[in-house]
Amino acid sequence: IKEKTEDLNRERQLAEDLLHQMLPKSVAKQLRKCQKVEAESYDQVTIFFSDIVGFTSIAASCTPLQVVEMLNNLYVCFDSRIESYDVYKVETIGDAYMVVSGLPERNGTKHADEIAKMSLDLVAAVHQVVIPHMPMGRLQLRAGIHTGPCVAGVVGYKMPRYCLFGDTVNTASRMESTSLPQKIHISSATYDALLTDDAYEIELRGEIEVKGKGKMKTYWLLGNKNYSVQN
């Protein structure tokens, strides 16, 4: 009986660990108790999007297995690094990587700083990711960040997902799509949020046309004066 109990506890722990990798712990806890997970509104969060430069052409030149292996190498690298920051990985869609800070657990005004440090880390880390079928090649990242309000909640029954909704999500995605290789493109809202402690090296990009938003004043995040990215 003791052995069976230990086996059962081990299996339960494995199941919980897997669930916590797919949903926030607070949300998973409610779902396990068959409770309805209420959608929640957040006044301020910071959202990060990235994708691989030239991914379509890279994928076209290799087998499906090689594509999966390449993305797995990249995401294992990213997943291990974001654990050092107060952030939540929302999802990956193909070569796109989405991370947020400020939810599901609120962290005051820290969210922009946490995402900024993380983004500098990931842009530096991508150079170290080996492409199995292109040993001499190196991936390049295009990143974008925006700060603002959003709504978060669980959608779906068969495969419930914790999703973010609102214009902040769309704008963060636009910051990424209008970014450049190995650049971190940030909005004015994120720029203002990072100004509080004067710790960042930021360069004005100027006004650019953003689809669905019109002209926006944006910036390049170049580095942190007090923080050294780990190799």
Side-chain angles (χ1 to χ4, degrees):
I1 293 174
K2 184 181 177 182
E3 286 179 3
K4 290 290 182 185
T5 304
E6 288 175 353
D7 288 344
L8 183 62
N9 288 336
R10 238 186 332 266
E11 290 298 323
R12 184 182 290 124
Q13 189 60 53
L14 285 171
E16 284 189 9
D17 290 345
L18 182 60
L19 185 60
H20 292 159
Q21 289 172 25
M22 299 169 67
L23 294 166
K25 287 186 179 181
S26 55
V27 171
K29 187 177 180 181
Q30 292 177 68
L31 287 176
R32 280 204 310 273
K33 293 180 178 178
C34 298
Q35 296 175 347
K36 184 181 178 183
V37 181
E38 297 290 342
E40 199 164 353
S41 180
Y42 296 84
D43 293 334
Q44 285 284 294
V45 301
T46 297
I47 298 173
F48 166 93
F49 276 96
S50 72
D51 74 354
I52 298 170
V53 178
F55 176 74
T56 304
S57 58
I58 294 172
S61 67
C62 54
T63 67
L65 186 61
Q66 287 171 332
V67 173
V68 172
E69 192 176 4
M70 175 182 68
L71 288 178
N72 186 57
N73 284 351
L74 179 69
Y75 293 153
V76 166
C77 171
F78 282 8
D79 290 350
S80 64
R81 283 176 176 265
I82 68 171
E83 289 178 0
S84 302
Y85 308 95
D86 183 11
V87 300
Y88 175 72
K89 174 184 168 184
V90 182
E91 62 183 345
T92 56
I93 308 169
D95 64 317
Y97 196 79
M98 180 183 180
V99 185
V100 64
S101 182
L103 66 78
E105 304 299 330
R106 291 174 173 81
N107 57 5
T109 58
K110 286 173 53 184
H111 47 85
D113 181 54
E114 291 295 317
I115 287 288
K117 286 189 293 190
M118 180 210 74
S119 63
L120 290 166
D121 195 351
L122 297 191
V123 168
V126 73
H127 280 311
Q128 300 169 34
V129 178
V130 176
I131 309 174
H133 60 284
M134 295 168 58
M136 301 305 292
R138 284 294 177 266
L139 297 175
Q140 288 187 303
L141 212 62
R142 181 171 43 227
I145 305 173
H146 180 56
T147 301
C150 82
V151 170
V154 175
V155 296
Y157 172 71
K158 289 289 186 184
M159 286 184 65
R161 288 175 56 214
Y162 187 69
C163 296
L164 274 53
F165 305 95
D167 189 57
T168 298
V169 179
N170 298 332
T171 304
S173 179
R174 297 293 185 217
M175 290 298 101
E176 178 273 313
S177 62
T178 53
S179 186
L180 295 174
Q182 290 301 107
K183 290 277 196 178
I184 303 167
H185 191 204
I186 68 173
S187 66
S188 293
T190 302
Y191 171 75
D192 291 341
L194 293 175
L195 278 183
T196 52
D197 56 2
D198 191 34
Y200 288 92
E201 297 170 22
I202 299 172
E203 180 183 279
L204 175 67
R205 183 182 190 180
E207 282 197 345
I208 64 163
E209 189 71 31
V210 178
K211 185 179 178 183
K213 304 293 294 181
K215 287 193 177 296
M216 287 184 69
K217 188 177 182 181
T218 62
Y219 301 81
W220 297 120
L221 174 62
L222 304 178
N224 185 304
K225 302 168 189 174
N226 309 318
Y227 175 77
S228 153
V229 173
Q230 295 299 311
N231 189 329

